[in-house]
Amino acid sequence: MKKMRHSKYFLVSIVFAALSISCETEFSNPNSVSEDLVYTTREGVIAAAVGLQQIYSTTGVRWIIETPAVSAREVGITTTFQNMIELEDGGSGLPNENANVEGLWFTMARVIKTAEQIEANIDGVDLSAGTISGLTAHAKFFKALAIGTLAQNYENVILTSGSDGDATFVPRLEGFARAIELLSEASAALSTPPSQEFIDEITQGHYDLPSAINAISARYHLFAGNYAQAITAARSVDVSKKSEFTYTANATNPIWARANSTAPNFKARVQFGLPASLALHDADGRIAFYLDPSQDLGEVSNPNGYEVVALTGFFTTSSGPIPIYLPDEMHLIIAEASVRSGSVSEAISALNEVLTDTDDLFGVNAGLPAYNGGTSQNDVLDEIYKNRRAELYLTGMSLEDSRRFNRPAPSGSSQIFTEERNRNFYPYPSSERQNNPNTPNDPPI
């Protein structure tokens, strides 16, 4: 009976997902389920919540990871698709119509809208208090993720979907501030414990929502420069619990499909694309976890001369899960926030938790001796950056990290493949500019 109920929610969520990712041009179909109807029944709201999670974890995660990975040189393209060529070329001429630029923006905008619709309709549906609290926290969590993702990649962002395609833009730091507020609201909603119904039908035991909320809050506090709050949030995360997005034959791991299918679009770069001055120790276990230079790539190569190798880690199978956050990200947040606050010793202590790790929940273990390098703020920041690049490989944070750590800025010219990153922020999609008069000017680079 339970299996049949899950199947029903899955079918409704497929209808919901189709509604969610459809283009702006709509065609009448008398046999289709209207979007309004999705939110008026218990089954519909639960399916919408499942669909929200699925859109973010499949289509969303593809754009979130792939786009900055190319721009910040974590991967090298292995295809002639124009969107990938444009991304790797970079520079001030990156087209507003680039599929990655548009896909990242509009998928996050759709997540924001869907979360708003769930929240707006939830009180009108017959649900238990624990299911309402869980769904409310769930919607706020994913809306926060979407806004935060935009703030990592665009200079100005939207905080709401807008009623008629006219959402207001704010500077990205205000985006992080709003995302943090939403996460605080999500945490408050959980003062009423989520029902077993919510756990069974939505999270299904794959992630611990309270810890995930705290982890993402720590991340955004760090990005916003709120160092004390970042440390507090990071220390509140239960790092003994896994939180991950899971995949199936119908909703596959999106990075596996891009990097390890029969016609890959990109492959991993050796040393995670780090410059020689930040080379990792050969014994670093994260190299073997994420990269496999022993695999024969055949004719697959990067047209611009990057040395590429097979990608492993979380991306080797179509159904392999992807962590929502990694436990050692919390130690790296504490390390960075500490050193930027003036406490080098606290930073090194937290950094050593990462360097000496041999029992990570997900198997991402550096397995190295404790840090014995320079103790100036710049020395320790370099070490933290290097470890973020290795530990948090392909988590969508490389472009944000490159800017925040003041790595060499891009020149603005395209096809300068020696640059560590080829953009600072992405231009706004043409279709957003055409439909939203509030769209700001594009950043110069």
Side-chain angles (χ1 to χ4, degrees):
M1 196 66 187
K2 188 171 183 179
K3 185 176 181 180
M4 290 177 65
R5 191 163 69 246
H6 280 166
S7 297
K8 174 172 66 177
Y9 291 147
F10 177 75
L11 290 173
V12 179
S13 70
I14 290 298
V15 172
F16 165 79
L19 288 165
S20 296
I21 61 176
S22 63
C23 62
E24 293 299 319
T25 304
E26 305 242 349
F27 300 93
S28 176
N29 180 354
N31 297 315
S32 68
V33 179
S34 75
E35 190 165 346
D36 290 340
L37 183 60
V38 168
Y39 298 98
T40 60
T41 66
R42 172 186 170 280
E43 289 80 7
V45 169
I46 291 176
V50 173
L52 171 64
Q53 177 179 294
Q54 189 174 84
I55 290 168
Y56 185 91
S57 66
T58 54
T59 307
V61 164
R62 173 206 162 167
W63 303 123
I64 289 165
I65 291 178
E66 174 183 287
T67 308
V70 176
S71 298
R73 312 306 199 192
E74 288 182 292
V75 301
I77 68 168
T78 55
T79 180
T80 57
F81 287 142
Q82 191 63 28
N83 63 307
M84 301 298 280
I85 292 172
E86 291 167 350
L87 268 185
E88 190 160 275
D89 285 353
S92 58
L94 179 65
N96 301 71
E97 299 82 8
N98 178 271
N100 285 69
V101 169
E102 294 216 330
L104 180 58
W105 180 271
F106 285 111
T107 305
M108 294 304 101
R110 187 63 217 192
V111 168
I112 291 169
K113 181 176 181 180
T114 303
E116 291 170 347
Q117 289 172 317
I118 291 172
E119 280 201 84
N121 288 277
I122 198 170
D123 288 336
V125 181
D126 185 17
L127 296 164
S128 71
T131 300
I132 289 174
S133 69
L135 289 170
T136 300
H138 176 85
K140 289 181 181 292
F141 175 69
F142 278 95
K143 184 176 179 181
L145 277 173
I147 293 172
T149 294
L150 292 177
Q152 289 173 218
N153 293 286
Y154 298 88
E155 196 172 37
N156 295 277
V157 302
I158 57 173
L159 304 182
T160 65
S161 61
S163 56
D164 295 302
D166 58 352
T168 300
F169 282 72
V170 300
R172 59 189 291 270
L173 287 180
E174 291 185 33
F176 286 133
R178 179 56 183 148
I180 291 165
E181 288 177 354
L182 285 165
L183 292 165
S184 179
E185 293 168 8
S187 184
L190 295 179
S191 61
T192 299
S195 66
Q196 195 61 44
E197 174 185 50
F198 171 78
I199 295 170
D200 289 345
E201 306 298 351
I202 308 300
T203 68
Q204 297 182 26
H206 297 310
Y207 59 93
D208 180 69
L209 189 52
S211 283
I213 289 169
N214 288 332
I216 304 305
S217 181
R219 180 185 297 175
Y220 293 157
H221 272 302
L222 177 71
F223 294 169
N226 306 326
Y227 300 133
Q229 296 94 322
I231 291 170
T232 298
R235 285 178 172 158
S236 69
V237 175
D238 185 346
V239 295
S240 70
K241 295 179 179 178
K242 279 189 176 183
S243 287
E244 56 191 5
F245 293 127
T246 57
Y247 299 95
T248 67
N250 293 301
T252 59
N253 180 312
I255 304 305
W256 166 85
R258 303 293 289 169
N260 284 322
S261 62
T262 55
N265 287 265
F266 60 83
K267 289 290 184 183
R269 288 190 60 196
V270 297
Q271 284 280 329
F272 308 107
L274 284 166
S277 60
L278 295 176
L280 295 163
H281 193 288
D282 288 343
D284 193 319
R286 294 167 298 190
I287 297 173
F289 181 85
Y290 284 113
L291 314 176
D292 185 0
S294 68
Q295 282 193 41
D296 183 2
L297 299 184
E299 299 299 315
V300 172
S301 63
N302 173 263
N304 298 312
Y306 293 139
E307 184 181 353
V308 292
V309 296
L311 175 64
T312 55
F314 303 110
F315 316 112
T316 57
T317 66
S318 63
S319 59
I322 297 176
I324 297 175
Y325 64 91
L326 285 162
D328 275 337
E329 182 185 353
M330 300 305 106
H331 296 303
L332 288 166
I333 288 172
I334 294 168
E336 182 181 343
S338 295
V339 74
R340 292 190 189 279
S341 300
S343 180
V344 172
S345 60
E346 290 271 346
I348 291 174
S349 178
L351 180 59
N352 283 335
E353 294 287 340
V354 180
L355 288 170
T356 63
D357 198 359
T358 58
D359 59 354
D360 182 78
L361 276 179
F362 293 94
V364 188
N365 295 304
L368 295 170
Y371 178 67
N372 64 354
T375 57
S376 73
Q377 184 182 57
N378 286 339
D379 288 335
V380 177
L381 282 171
D382 282 348
E383 185 70 17
I384 292 168
Y385 175 73
K386 179 169 71 173
N387 276 273
R388 285 185 65 87
R389 188 81 171 205
E391 187 78 24
L392 308 180
Y393 185 58
L394 297 188
T395 55
M397 290 183 278
S398 55
L399 188 60
E400 167 69 36
D401 285 356
S402 182
R403 289 191 313 267
R404 196 175 68 260
F405 281 84
N406 294 316
R407 300 302 305 167
S411 64
S413 299
S414 66
Q415 299 183 330
I416 308 298
F417 301 115
T418 55
E419 293 182 332
E420 288 189 32
R421 66 177 186 269
N422 62 27
R423 291 286 307 189
N424 287 327
F425 298 100
Y426 294 114
Y428 304 103
S430 292
S431 45
E432 180 73 15
R433 189 174 302 284
Q434 292 162 4
N435 291 287
N436 185 350
N438 298 319
T439 307
N441 292 331
D442 290 332
I445 180 63

